[in-house]
Amino acid sequence: MANLRDLYQELIVDHSKQPRNFRVVTDADRHAEGHNPLCGDRVTIYIKMEGERISDVAFRGSGCAISTASASLLTESLKGRTATEAENIFDNFHNLVTGAGETGPLGKLAAFSGVCDYPTRVKCATLAWHTFHAALRGAQADHVSTEKA
Ligand code: FES
């Protein structure tokens, strides 16, 4: 029987090869672009809100397997959540991949629990999340870089 690490690996490979919600939200009311200048990978996150709730979230871009899987699972995890719930999941996910502290229940996002052992991959796992966070906070296009200017 596959152990948990194998199942997590399978989930990441599945989402990297067949990313969910890989599309433009044409009527998005918020979006942001994220960029990792060290590798050139880019992601754009689109959010459609209905009141306080995220009614749709999707992404486009090109990136490595970890960043693509992370963006895909982000969209699955945050669609239908309120902005406050999404902020809490963002904090928990960030703590998980950086090994910085407590995480609440993360469901499928727990597949990224091994990332904290590979510091160079933390930016891959968090690129879409920082981009999502910027989009959520601002109603206008924003630009996010994994590196300080
Ligand atoms: Fe570029 Fe992972 S190698 S985000």
Side-chain angles (χ1 to χ4, degrees):
M1 195 171 107
N3 64 30
L4 197 54
R5 187 170 280 265
D6 290 338
L7 290 174
Y8 285 169
Q9 183 68 25
E10 282 176 22
L11 189 65
I12 289 173
V13 169
D14 175 37
H15 278 261
S16 69
K17 289 188 171 172
Q18 298 181 71
R20 316 313 195 259
N21 300 302
F22 185 74
R23 56 185 163 80
V24 175
V25 178
T26 53
D27 60 348
D29 41 31
R30 305 179 191 196
H31 76 277
E33 297 172 12
H35 178 217
N36 183 346
L38 297 180
C39 60
D41 290 348
R42 293 179 180 276
V43 64
T44 302
I45 300 280
Y46 303 91
I47 302 173
K48 174 77 176 167
M49 301 293 294
E50 279 182 17
E52 261 298 288
R53 202 164 287 280
I54 298 164
S55 62
D56 198 8
V57 54
F59 78 105
R60 289 302 297 262
S62 62
C64 64
I66 296 278
S67 69
T68 301
S70 181
S72 175
L73 281 156
L74 176 154
T75 63
E76 277 201 341
S77 303
L78 301 186
K79 190 171 179 178
R81 304 281 189 169
T82 66
T84 303
E85 289 170 342
E87 293 271 11
N88 288 335
I89 294 170
F90 170 87
D91 289 341
N92 285 332
F93 183 79
H94 198 264
N95 285 346
L96 176 78
V97 298
T98 59
E102 289 293 309
T103 68
L106 280 167
K108 289 181 180 178
L109 295 173
F112 294 91
S113 57
V115 168
C116 63
D117 295 329
Y118 302 92
T120 58
R121 305 319 300 268
V122 171
K123 286 175 182 171
C124 304
T126 57
L127 175 62
W129 289 81
H130 286 298
T131 308
F132 168 84
H133 201 226
L136 188 65
R137 282 181 302 181
Q140 302 299 320
D142 204 345
H143 186 82
V144 178
S145 172
T146 57
E147 306 303 309
K148 300 272 187 248

